Amino acid sequence: MNDSERITDLQQVIMSIADQLCETVDNNFDIHISVDTDDIHGQKLSLLINFLLENVRRHNRDMVQLNAVLEEKVRERTEQLDMVISGSTDGVWIWDAMQDSISFSENWYRMAGEKAHAEAQKPEYWMNRVHPKDVCRLKSAIRALMEGSKTQLHAEYRLRQESGGYRWMLCRGVCQRNDMGFPKLLAGTQTDITHLRSVDPQSGLPNEHYLKERIEDLLEARSTFYVILVAVRQLNAITESLDQQATEKLHLEISQRLLDEAHFSRLLARLPGNTYAFLCQVQPGENPHDLL
Amino acid sequence: MIGIIQRVLLDLLEETGGEPLKFAVMDRAGVPHDRDFRIDQNYPDDECLKLIQGAVDETGLSEDAINVLYAKAFLKEARNLFPQFFMMAKSSEQFLLRQATIHGVIASGLKKPEERQVVKDKFSARSIEPGFVEVTYRSPNKLCGLFRALAHEVAGIYGECLTVHCADCMKRGDDACRFELRWEKTAPDGILSSE
């Protein structure tokens, strides 16, 4: 073979290899390059390209395997997380900081007394449901988390119910940041703490916090109301001689007797120092003295 | 076995004893005279073993002597064909650590995946510590003597002194050959680039 024939042969080898490599345009690397030449350099070139293709196939296989392992791990973790969430009465919220939208769990909506929405909500959806007196505190806590001055969110607020009332919530959360340090994702839980915050554990009656909130509501509404305080004197002297079971029974008996006297429109609360309070709103036309 | 092995052997025979020696060995192995061994194709193992045995029988040299001559010729051809592999390694230790992978490169030329896998599984190398490499060779062809000769020749190319201890050997009944390669001194830098 003279030089001219050799060059032509090598050109054909290169063209043949290039044509065969066109298959890879569709991400098909499962091909084998073969050349019909006696030229050892042509054979060498095809051999190295086949080595390259094999490495691509191996990396692709590794990626598929790795992906399957990761997907399995994600599935397992999701199942575990779902189990934890479904076993708890807490609501879950996930705030996409880039999209400025929040996804709430079914429990979260249930806590607000609303039907669950599949689509994400704007932050206003949440803030508009928070009691006006608590919304600034919640926003400040979220801002501190976003700015990084706090690593965890911990805020208590009242969440308006669809029926009109409010329930106390404890919100906890953390923030995930991108490579630039900007907030990427905020996520956390919401726990109904109404009972813990508003109920006296010994008697089961509303406590002083609850009474204070109701009084504030009435004052704000410029309503007329009265409060009767009933102090049970020397109760401690009696309970000192009783065991715990008997003491609890005594407290329940006192509460029950007072409740029997309370009209359904009156609120009976237990205050510290063995004191009870009746709160009653005076309706138009009613005389407070008559009610007393 | 990949054609480069037979190709180098036949070229060596022709260079040493001319066509008569080459054809005599080919006759002993039952290989037609016009056979052109390609570096990107696989050929029957027993044919290659017959060619090597034919070379021993025709030349009257020992198998070890044939291995040494063959190793020199193979590395000469390898340096012509793949000079970059030698430039990439700064020492024979680096080269021999990469040798299993290079062997895999040659195997990539084979079309059938199972054939590729057989060739790839023959060698593995790992560094135990600097100056100590363990190479495992597993093949029914039991050409461990050839690997030993090749390892010494590679060290020679880099101007280094290498000892090869065959800790396990298939010829002694082990599952695989396990070579312990130790370097006694480091080579002067750039020995290859000065050539």
Side-chain angles (χ1 to χ4, degrees), chain B residues 16-48:
Chain B
T16 313
E19 278 195 337
L21 177 61
K22 183 174 97 169
F23 289 151
V25 171
M26 291 176 95
D27 288 342
R28 277 179 179 268
V31 176
H33 291 185
D34 60 348
R35 168 74 62 79
D36 180 25
F37 285 99
R38 293 172 58 113
I39 66 168
D40 57 352
Q41 275 186 22
N42 205 21
Y43 299 89
D45 281 5
D46 64 329
E47 190 180 83
C48 182

Side-chain angles (χ1 to χ4, degrees), chain A residues 93 95 102 104 108 121-140 142-143 153 157-160 166 171:
Chain A
W93 55 272
W95 188 329
I102 310 174
F104 297 106
W108 197 99
Q121 307 283 356
K122 286 286 162 196
E124 292 75 33
Y125 177 86
W126 184 1
M127 297 304 140
N128 289 342
R129 276 158 181 75
V130 176
H131 194 287
K133 283 188 176 171
D134 302 334
V135 73
C136 276
R137 194 168 61 245
L138 176 60
K139 282 182 177 176
S140 296
I142 293 171
R143 194 176 302 117
L153 173 68
Y157 53 88
R158 282 162 285 185
L159 189 72
R160 196 182 71 237
Y166 283 93
C171 176

Side-chain angles (χ1 to χ4, degrees), chain A residues 32 35 37 43-44 50 54, chain B residues 38-39 81 108-110 120:
Chain A
H32 185 87
V35 288
T37 178
Q43 294 172 18
K44 173 187 162 183
N50 281 317
E54 191 160 350
Chain B
R38 293 172 58 113
I39 66 168
L81 261 179
S108 301
L110 304 179
K120 278 183 170 181

